[in-house]
Amino acid sequence: MNKLTDPKTTLAVISRYNFDFRKKFGQNFLIDEGVILRSLDAASVGKGDVVFEIGPGIGTLTQYLSDAAYHVVSIEIDKKLIPILEETLQGYDNVDVINDDVLKVDLLSLARKYNAGRPDNSMRNNDSTQYDDSRRYDSSTQYDDSTQYDDPGDTQAAARAELHRDSLHPLKIVANLPYYITTPILMNLFRRHVPAQSITVMVQKEVADRMTAQPGGKDYGSLSVAVQYYSAPRIVETVPPSSFIPHPKVTSAVVTMDLYETPPVTAKNEDLFDAIVRAAFEQRRKTLVNALSSNSSVPFGKEEITNALSRLGISASIRGEKLSISEFAALSDVLTLLSA
Ligand code: SAM
């Protein structure tokens, strides 16, 4: 079979299976080989990598990931796509498809499982590394869904320690995301500390602008702070609607996020940091003091917040959109100390 980036091949598969695109699952399938190859390049996918893909659709990106990586785990919610994937991924023996909702799958346990099966799990990524491909995973792989995540809380350091203890080889995550759940997917990956080295995703262009925005601009918001707290993001390229079947209504963009091994900024209490950031941008026209003190998720009054800002040498009349990530973390830390 030709690669699915050939539009005729994609249309033939769609019609053979009488497949109806489901808007509610954000189904727009890529037909642009150039975009896929440049995304793989941006993610530096190599033969040493285990890659998690979210939403393989009919397997277009999956075919290229399979060619480039050591192993691919693709999580797809739509059960109608599973028989199609069985056909389109025939001969792509290093791919496991899991029929589930990515927001419900325990990705940390899954990462451990695949890490444990690696030929040399002590090895860090090295694109020139060749693994013995005769060691395949069973494609009927079941993983233990009963394992719960640790409470994310202030577990950044704990997760790094765990990564070290398990010698977890960091994964790469590559996906053409279902746009309707872009933020929950990214937050889930970050807050659960899924051991990813990088995340390369197709998102709506407008969302890519927010992910990479700097303080002061209209695009800067809680998503910018969250993404940049955990990673260094960059827009790889913008992608027109004509690169997909069916054409989405919006322009898209590929974003690569390299996750920090040692984050430049760490808040002592990540839950409070999150609550402060969210409250600051929920009412962005208000001053930071008013936005935070009137928000029930931030357990501090006007006086304490003004006092904390003054300790940091920040004006009490500032709006949240002007604060850098390190200033948000410093504010969260001072408030944590005040409440101790
Ligand atoms: N990767 C394919 C491609 O590029 O052609 C398809 C991308 S399409 C934009 C998004 C895919 O995510 C669809 O196949 C959709 O069914 C799947 N999806 C939507 N919500 C999902 C969820 N919660 N968990 C897993 N997959 C999901």
Side-chain angles (χ1 to χ4, degrees):
M1 181 189 274
N2 286 341
K3 285 268 199 301
L4 293 156
T5 38
D6 170 10
K8 283 197 195 109
T9 309
T10 280
L11 288 171
V13 168
I14 296 295
S15 95
R16 194 159 61 252
Y17 283 87
N18 221 357
F19 179 78
D20 284 327
F21 289 95
R22 296 225 257 171
K23 248 192 178 170
K24 73 165 186 171
F25 287 147
Q27 292 174 338
N28 300 93
F29 300 157
L30 262 169
I31 45 161
D32 190 327
E33 182 173 61
V35 169
I36 292 180
L37 294 176
R38 288 188 292 277
S39 301
L40 265 54
D41 200 36
S44 314
V45 174
K47 283 290 174 198
D49 289 317
V50 173
V51 178
F52 281 10
E53 183 195 16
I54 298 158
I58 58 170
T60 316
L61 173 60
T62 325
Q63 293 181 333
Y64 290 84
L65 287 171
S66 166
D67 287 343
Y70 168 68
H71 200 83
V72 183
V73 183
S74 300
I75 302 157
E76 172 57 59
I77 196 169
D78 187 352
K79 66 175 186 304
K80 293 198 173 145
L81 287 167
I82 304 305
I84 302 184
L85 287 164
E86 272 162 23
E87 179 191 329
T88 59
L89 297 177
Q90 241 173 46
Y92 293 89
D93 297 336
N94 58 346
V95 180
D96 289 344
V97 175
I98 294 172
N99 183 202
D100 210 338
D101 178 345
V102 70
L103 295 176
K104 295 191 178 143
V105 170
D106 182 346
L107 294 170
L108 197 51
S109 294
L110 205 57
R112 276 202 193 100
K113 175 189 169 61
Y114 280 91
N115 184 74
R118 293 176 63 84
D120 177 355
N121 68 7
S122 66
M123 207 173 277
R124 306 290 292 180
N125 178 49
N126 174 351
D127 288 346
S128 60
T129 309
Q130 294 298 319
Y131 287 104
D132 173 9
D133 258 1
S134 63
R135 262 194 76 171
R136 298 289 193 202
Y137 295 91
D138 178 357
S139 60
S140 62
T141 305
Q142 295 295 318
Y143 58 94
D144 177 11
D145 211 7
S146 63
T147 315
Q148 290 303 307
Y149 302 112
D150 296 330
D151 174 46
D154 58 348
T155 54
Q156 181 96 355
R160 281 200 300 276
E162 186 167 351
L163 202 69
H164 181 71
R165 194 179 65 228
D166 288 357
S167 297
L168 273 185
H169 182 104
L171 321 152
K172 288 180 178 164
I173 296 170
V174 182
N176 172 15
L177 285 183
Y179 294 170
Y180 74 107
I181 44 169
T182 299
T183 302
I185 289 175
L186 292 178
M187 292 314 294
N188 199 30
L189 293 172
F190 290 138
R191 294 297 273 133
R192 304 291 185 187
H193 300 289
V194 175
Q197 183 176 13
S198 68
I199 303 175
T200 300
V201 283
M202 179 86 72
V203 297
Q204 227 175 297
K205 163 76 169 60
E206 182 194 292
V207 174
D209 290 339
R210 281 164 42 209
M211 288 161 71
T212 52
Q214 295 303 308
K218 69 173 176 35
D219 291 328
Y220 186 63
S222 46
L223 184 63
S224 329
V225 174
V227 166
Q228 295 170 41
Y229 181 81
Y230 292 104
S231 75
R234 69 195 150 91
I235 295 181
V236 177
E237 66 178 295
T238 55
V239 181
S242 58
S243 294
F244 306 84
I245 290 178
H247 298 345
K249 289 201 175 72
V250 293
T251 299
S252 303
V254 177
V255 181
T256 286
M257 290 154 271
D258 291 315
L259 274 81
Y260 293 124
E261 260 185 75
T262 311
V265 175
T266 312
K268 287 189 181 20
N269 179 342
E270 288 185 346
D271 287 338
L272 177 62
F273 171 78
D274 273 356
I276 288 174
V277 171
R278 270 202 300 271
F281 290 106
E282 260 167 34
Q283 301 184 72
R284 51 193 300 153
R285 294 196 172 278
K286 283 191 174 178
T287 63
L288 185 63
V289 174
N290 285 339
L292 299 191
S293 60
S294 62
N295 193 301
S296 58
S297 324
V298 179
F300 297 97
K302 266 189 185 177
E303 205 175 313
E304 288 160 304
I305 297 164
T306 308
N307 181 5
L309 286 174
S310 131
R311 285 190 190 204
L312 295 168
I314 298 173
S315 158
S317 61
I318 199 164
R319 289 191 180 153
E321 63 194 20
K322 297 272 187 220
L323 246 63
S324 67
I325 297 172
S326 55
E327 286 172 324
F328 272 118
L331 177 60
S332 164
D333 285 356
V334 171
L335 287 170
T336 304
L337 277 178
L338 282 179
S339 64

